[in-house]
Amino acid sequence: MSLKNYNAREGLHCRFSNIDPASEKFSFKIARDTRPEIFSFKISVAKNVPRTDYVILEAKVFPGINLFWSGTLLMMFGLLLAWFYKKYLQKSSEPVKGTF
């Protein structure tokens, strides 16, 4: 992902290109238009700032999970049984006796 910003008044292109989480380094690409004017700018970086980018995950125990999975497996078994039964009926020429 890269984010680009262009300052038309000063002819400055600034592109944020990369973050390296291991070394906590940011990569910027800065260029300016080919104009005869010479300008300067200051970049300041804040140090020792408290971090606010924490991700909090919460795990909950669901007591009915076994009932959920057994119902899912039962429905899949019924689906496969119906599929095999339909294939069996299409292959056989005589009707199957029984009540359904």
Side-chain angles (χ1 to χ4, degrees):
M1 177 175 100
S2 69
L3 300 172
K4 182 178 179 181
N5 189 12
Y6 176 65
N7 187 344
R9 184 175 60 105
E10 298 181 5
L12 184 66
H13 298 270
C14 183
R15 183 181 295 269
F16 170 71
S17 61
N18 191 12
I19 297 177
D20 185 12
S23 64
E24 296 182 359
K25 291 186 179 181
F26 296 85
S27 298
F28 292 95
K29 295 179 181 178
I30 300 173
R32 69 176 248 256
D33 288 340
T34 55
R35 294 186 181 175
E37 303 96 32
I38 297 175
F39 63 92
S40 63
F41 60 94
K42 293 182 179 181
I43 295 178
S44 60
V45 177
K47 294 183 179 179
N48 298 327
V49 178
R51 295 185 67 164
T52 60
D53 58 347
Y54 293 110
V55 176
I56 298 173
L57 298 175
E58 183 178 344
K60 291 186 177 182
V61 176
F62 179 54
I65 195 69
N66 291 334
L67 185 62
F68 171 78
W69 283 115
S70 61
T72 304
L73 292 175
L74 187 62
M75 286 175 43
M76 289 303 294
F77 177 71
L79 178 71
L80 290 174
L81 185 66
W83 183 64
F84 284 128
Y85 185 72
K86 185 174 181 176
K87 287 287 188 183
Y88 175 73
L89 279 180
Q90 288 177 354
K91 287 184 180 179
S92 68
S93 59
E94 60 188 70
V96 176
K97 296 181 181 178
T99 58
F100 298 115

